[in-house]
Amino acid sequence: MDATLLLNVEGIKKTILHGGTGDLPNFITGARVTFHFRTMKCDEERTVIDDSKQVGHPMHIIIGNMFKLEVWEILLTSMRVSEVAEFWCDTIHTGVYPILSRSLRQMAEGKDPTEWHVHTCGLANMFAYHTLGYEDLDELQKEPQPLIFIIELLQVESPSQYQRETWNLNNHEKMQAVPILHGEGNRLFKLGRYEEASSKYQEAIVCLRNLQTKEKPWEVQWLKLEKMINTLILNYCQCLLKKEEYYEVLEHTSDILRHHPGIVKAYYVRARAHAEVWNEAEAKADLEKVLELEPSMKKAVQRELRLLENRLEEKREEERLRCRNMLG
């Protein structure tokens, strides 16, 4: 097939190498598109720059998610599943390709913890490097040129067909995800699966922190999000107590109380962590604060004080025995 202008987009030509199957997929916002690609120069040798098949992993992007190389979304949405097509793209569309390529190569080399999905977060770093660390990419960056992309479309999934990562969600979806993640964390906690529960709480906290950055500090909506975040952090701390990570609990609860000194649960959780690391005075002070702020928690406080006293007595007895043995 002769190369033709694609959808009247300037600077793009398409040649279908292998026809696809079925109708054109529904490329709605949030759809995940999985594909293989090969990038080549337009020289006589058609020098290969990158090839996902050589790496051994297909690429995927999320439609409407501000992918680094926007032209790929244009190319992919012209294709059917199983289609293989060659696209010639002029320099106006390929200027940021060296930045994308650098990210992909680093991932393939195990230098980046994420897999083959790249979004805009790293794009702000594009001017931070005098060199990209690869000679061919440095050359492309200095002298942008047209590129050829051979793309094989493997799969198109609607948002409901795959587990979306939280960075893929829009603001409304993030807000909807929080109670689901919170509930799932609570369920896992009750089952004693503390590591998994803590991950759910952390994911919900990340969603809320992201939303909070869009609000003015200490105004109504910001404070509403802050209250939700603190609740989740304290749930996360309960997981940490179960995992015996007491000093991290002290750090998180103290940070909450520095900004919000009236949160009863933060004092209670911190008291338990203090008790575990033998900070007797601090544990008792926090439990007294719990009683002051919430007298209805008297039974719980008395229980914790008894546990603390019993543990301290056991420790004192161990020390007495150790001293006797040393003297003996």
Side-chain angles (χ1 to χ4, degrees):
M1 179 183 289
D2 292 331
T4 57
L5 282 173
L6 171 62
L7 304 176
N8 296 317
V9 178
E10 182 185 356
I12 299 174
K13 295 178 183 178
K14 175 181 179 180
T15 304
I16 296 176
L17 305 178
H18 182 278
T21 59
D23 296 328
L24 198 68
N26 188 12
F27 293 98
I28 61 173
T29 298
R32 180 167 69 176
V33 183
T34 305
F35 59 99
H36 273 300
F37 74 95
R38 184 189 305 148
T39 306
M40 300 180 293
K41 292 183 179 180
C42 295
D43 54 13
E44 287 184 16
E45 295 80 15
R46 288 166 65 96
T47 303
V48 175
I49 301 170
D50 294 301
D51 189 333
S52 63
K53 286 188 177 180
Q54 287 185 359
V55 172
H57 299 287
M59 181 79 178
H60 69 250
I61 68 171
I62 309 299
I63 296 295
N65 211 52
M66 294 177 67
F67 184 69
K68 279 185 181 179
L69 194 66
E70 293 180 13
V71 72
W72 269 4
E73 190 169 308
I74 298 170
L75 309 183
L76 287 161
T77 53
S78 77
M79 300 179 71
R80 290 174 168 76
V81 173
S82 298
E83 179 180 324
V84 181
E86 179 176 309
F87 298 90
W88 175 88
C89 295
D90 206 352
T91 311
I92 57 170
H93 299 294
T94 62
V96 298
Y97 184 80
I99 309 298
L100 170 65
S101 178
R102 176 182 183 273
S103 297
L104 299 182
R105 291 182 188 187
Q106 288 195 320
M107 291 176 198
E109 292 164 9
K111 295 179 182 176
D112 191 304
T114 56
E115 294 183 8
W116 276 62
H117 48 252
V118 185
H119 43 102
T120 320
C121 301
L123 189 56
N125 296 325
M126 68 180 292
F127 298 113
Y129 301 93
H130 297 295
T131 174
L132 294 172
Y134 303 92
E135 286 186 19
D136 59 336
L137 300 183
D138 286 339
E139 180 191 331
L140 273 181
Q141 177 134 301
K142 288 174 187 172
E143 297 180 23
Q145 56 190 267
L147 295 173
I148 294 168
F149 301 109
I150 295 179
I151 295 177
E152 178 185 358
L153 181 58
L154 301 175
Q155 188 178 35
V156 179
E157 300 165 281
S158 68
S160 61
Q161 288 178 300
Y162 69 95
Q163 182 65 44
R164 298 175 74 189
E165 297 167 66
T166 50
W167 63 263
N168 279 330
L169 306 179
N170 61 37
N171 290 349
H172 178 67
E173 290 168 331
K174 281 189 175 83
M175 202 67 192
Q176 286 184 317
V178 168
I180 297 169
L181 291 165
H182 191 166
E184 186 65 9
N186 291 349
R187 184 184 71 82
L188 291 164
F189 184 89
K190 287 174 184 174
L191 292 171
R193 292 158 63 179
Y194 305 120
E195 190 66 46
E196 294 169 79
S198 63
S199 293
K200 295 295 179 183
Y201 294 139
Q202 282 179 300
E203 200 172 346
I205 290 164
V206 168
C207 283
L208 291 171
R209 289 281 191 216
N210 184 275
L211 292 169
Q212 199 181 38
T213 61
K214 299 171 176 64
E215 304 295 336
K216 288 185 178 179
W218 303 103
E219 292 199 352
V220 174
Q221 186 59 25
W222 188 94
L223 286 168
K224 180 182 174 183
L225 293 168
E226 181 79 351
K227 185 178 180 181
M228 295 169 71
I229 289 166
N230 288 335
T231 299
L232 284 159
I233 290 173
L234 290 170
N235 284 12
Y236 174 65
C237 285
Q238 298 276 28
C239 296
L240 294 177
L241 284 173
K242 293 291 186 181
K243 296 192 292 178
E244 300 182 1
E245 295 176 19
Y246 306 122
Y247 288 102
E248 190 175 345
V249 174
L250 293 175
E251 185 180 334
H252 289 305
T253 50
S254 297
D255 186 58
I256 288 174
L257 290 168
R258 267 194 297 275
H259 298 98
H260 308 281
I263 298 180
V264 178
K265 188 177 178 181
Y267 285 109
Y268 184 73
V269 172
R270 189 171 71 173
R272 291 180 61 195
H274 274 310
E276 292 292 345
V277 295
W278 309 106
N279 295 339
E280 180 182 2
E282 291 86 347
K284 287 181 176 178
D286 278 347
L287 289 170
E288 286 171 11
K289 193 69 177 178
V290 170
L291 269 183
E292 177 191 324
L293 293 169
E294 192 59 68
S296 64
M297 288 188 69
K298 185 176 180 180
K299 284 186 178 179
V301 168
Q302 287 176 335
R303 184 181 68 246
E304 290 299 327
L305 285 169
R306 280 196 303 272
L307 286 170
L308 175 59
E309 196 52 49
N310 289 340
R311 291 182 70 248
L312 289 168
E313 182 55 40
E314 286 173 10
K315 187 183 181 188
R316 284 191 286 266
E317 182 61 29
E318 285 175 10
E319 288 172 352
R320 281 195 291 268
L321 286 170
R322 193 179 301 113
C323 287
R324 282 193 206 125
N325 290 335
M326 287 172 67
L327 292 169

